Amino acid sequence: MCARDILIRGTVQGVGFRPYIYRLAREHSLSGWVANQKDGVHVRVEGSHEALEAFTSALIPDAPPAAHISALEVKHAEPSGFREFFIRESERTGRPTVRISPDLPVCDECLAELFDETNPRYLYPYINCTNCGPRFSVIESLPYDRCRTTMRHWSMDELCDSQYHNPLDRRFHAQPVACPNCGPHYLLEDGDGVCYGDRESIDRTVQILRAGAIVAVKGIGGYHLSCDAANAATVQAMRERKFRKQKPFAVMVRDVEVARRLVELSPAALDLLTSTARPIVLAPGRVQLAGVAPENSELGIMLPYAPLHHLLFAFGAPEVLVMTSANRSSEPIAFRDDEARRTLTGLADAFLVGERPIARRVDDSVARAGVFGPAILRRSRGYAPDAVGAFPTKRPILAVGADLKNTITLVVDGQAFTSQHIGDLDHYEALASFRQTLKDLLDMYAIDPTKLTVAHDIHPQYASTLTALALPAQAHVSVQHHRAHVASVLAERGEWERRVIGVSFDGTGYGEDGTIWGGEFFAGSLRDGFTRVGHLRPAYLPGGDAAAAFPVQCAAGFLTDLPGLPDLMEAPFQFPGRYRSATELVCKRVRTFSTTSVGRLFDTAAALLGFTGEITFEGQAAIWLEQLAGDTKCDLPLFDFTLSDNVLDFRPMLVQMARDRYAGAEVRDISRRFHRSLAYATARLVKSLSEDHGTDIVALSGGVFQNELLLAELRGMLEQTRLTAWTNAAVPTNDGGISLGQAALAVANVA
Ligand code: ZN
Ligand code: FE
């Protein structure tokens, strides 16, 4: 008789882990127990040496699909003589550091039951089991038990209760377990009144969707606004009511077959689409759906993930549904029923309301199968709140991120948890959501705020900075935006010592000299910090960050005093009057700032090639410019993007671009050459810096690196010079990754 004590860490709560251990132990005729404790799942097993070996070696390979084991510790122990194997109740002491599982899509077994007439949960929109269903979006506090989830309002009937308590059942300790007899239901509210009953309300929803209605549909982490994507008039109405001019809408498609008709699905994109996170996947479009993604060659698609979505399609909903966050303009997604009714009246024709409350808003995630593998552009449902990195510190650290695309990172016991996407904090609702998420994270992990090290941006007027400074923390650490971008790449890879060259290209960030940065080169490491060793040549920026809305306004700054430019007010450029007035601002140095932003350089290039109007969503001109290049051949000559004293000078390139266009060159070729020239100049500077600083690793981060064409060019050129490029994978390369980088630089306090 031998015994082992085993500790399993990782995402092991709420994913069917204890019943799995129970079944595995019984299979191997072992006695002992399994329990959730504050640091993970503890197992005591007793039996023959062979059986213990077999049990231990099967533990990881056979684990439930939603479990993520980060560490397994096995110790020999003295047998206590247990006669059977049992599941011990959760311990309630100490700080919970076990991880909370992200929400999971409905599993195949539940899906089969959903459409099995003989099953008690036939057509029941809240079907789930330990392998699937909501987690993060229903958990109110830890440890994860039904009484601390939004399912506490419903008591289980005999069927659910017996399954919940049967270790051999798929629903053993499935906290959100429910059936039509005891659980919550859906109902439909429209102008005619309320339609009760799951089937009746879903059936009616499908009818009105087919007739062209816009329906607010309650899902897992919030409400969607849904309509028939093939109905151009309805899609247009949605744009008008939402005040959303051109920003693409995401669509939900019935199945993979429909997805293939809509977009080109590479094997990597298919993997992302069907992954347990079920993100919105951006892929090249094959057909145009009028008004869904205007003038955009990519389409964002996702598969059904909640049982409700499968029911909508099974009841005959249009096979492609617009499914966009229910909100006005860029406010946060509505997730409470009263809030949805209040803010969406006049926007939605009807409300398909589910009775189960949502504990916190969790938007759909957005991802793309990119040059460097899967790239997460918005990290939310299905990913949050998984840990994104292991930190070499026991101190609790809170990092509040940037004011755009905000996320918050909390480091607890050496694990970095990055929050779901919160949004742009200039909206009152988003700021409220930011404060709520901050409190939520600290409560969830039972952190005393006075013990925290709090990291924030150096921007003195950021709402996130002001909130951070008001916290009664032990220490505050101020982190420059672009250093945080570079740090995020290293933090998620656990590279705490490695010296790298960091390249941070983005739209805007507060520089340590008070100017607007966004084209920065650094040398250093997470341990020693980063020194700025190169940058884009500073340009004027009339109107400051407000210029980001008008590419011609950026152009006025970047093109100041350039000899040899054709007249941009004339054909083929035809810049509007705004260009002239912005030029006057620059001449008089009125409201004129200095910037090294590569994002604004992209805007200038876009203006020169024909994007002379207003931008209606962030990054629009840069996306337009990238798509303009399409798949043109890359044997075109480079522009002169010159380099002196580690400063990249864009001026000769911009003059050549303007002259080429004036001379009648194809704009798509000019766009391609622009991308290639920027990549080449960047690679050249990185190469020389890497020699100066003795490293062959380059970390790329910042919103500009969402540009796949630039990444592809740059990657190729860096590889030719034997440099290895790293970029973000766990967190977004845009400002959604800033909080992780801030936290990383707070560890050694080298910001
Ligand atoms: Zn299931
Ligand atoms: Fe940024």
Side-chain angles (χ1 to χ4, degrees), residues 402 404 462 481-482 485 504-509 517-518 618 701-704 733-736 738:
L404 291 180
Y462 261 1
H481 187 95
H482 302 97
H485 270 308
S504 186
F505 287 175
D506 73 354
T508 185
W517 285 12
E618 203 211 335
S701 192
V704 166
T733 197
N734 60 43
D735 285 3
I738 286 288

Side-chain angles (χ1 to χ4, degrees), residues 285-330:
R286 303 180 68 160
V287 290
Q288 275 292 328
L289 294 164
V292 171
E295 294 174 45
N296 200 310
S297 65
E298 277 189 320
L299 187 63
I301 58 167
M302 62 181 147
L303 290 174
Y305 51 89
L308 176 76
H309 302 146
H310 289 274
L311 288 169
L312 285 170
F313 289 115
F315 275 63
E319 62 182 17
V320 185
L321 289 172
V322 168
M323 278 285 202
T324 184
S325 302
N327 52 23
R328 282 192 197 272
S329 188
S330 49

Side-chain angles (χ1 to χ4, degrees), residues 95-97 394-397 410-417 445 447:
R95 187 165 70 217
T97 61
K394 289 285 171 203
R395 273 184 302 142
I397 298 171
L410 179 66
V411 182
V412 188
D413 290 333
Q415 297 291 328
F417 300 99
Y445 293 99
I447 302 294

Side-chain angles (χ1 to χ4, degrees), residues 107 110 128-129 131-132 170:
C107 73
C110 283
N128 68 84
C129 74
N131 298 322
C132 76
R170 207 172 85 245

Side-chain angles (χ1 to χ4, degrees), residues 110 113-114 119-130 132-134 146 149-161 163-164 169-185 198 307 355-356:
C110 283
E113 291 177 355
L114 184 62
N119 192 281
R121 295 185 183 84
Y122 177 55
L123 305 182
Y124 181 53
Y126 285 113
I127 190 170
N128 68 84
C129 74
T130 49
C132 76
R146 187 177 177 103
T149 69
T150 60
M151 280 303 292
R152 68 192 155 84
H153 308 285
W154 288 270
S155 49
M156 288 181 266
D157 66 356
E158 223 176 277
L159 168 75
C160 289
D161 189 73
Q163 293 177 329
Y164 181 90
D169 193 279
R170 207 172 85 245
R171 296 195 166 87
F172 177 72
H173 282 204
Q175 306 304 340
V177 71
C179 74
N181 185 41
C182 68
H185 295 282
D198 295 318
E355 291 175 326
R356 185 177 71 202

Side-chain angles (χ1 to χ4, degrees), residues 1-4 25 27-32 45-56 76 79 82:
M1 185 67 124
C2 309
R4 301 268 192 283
E27 262 170 46
H28 290 95
S29 311
L30 298 171
S31 61
V45 271
E46 302 188 2
S48 72
H49 178 77
E50 293 72 31
L52 287 173
E53 288 300 308
F55 173 84
T56 314
H76 289 263
F82 290 109

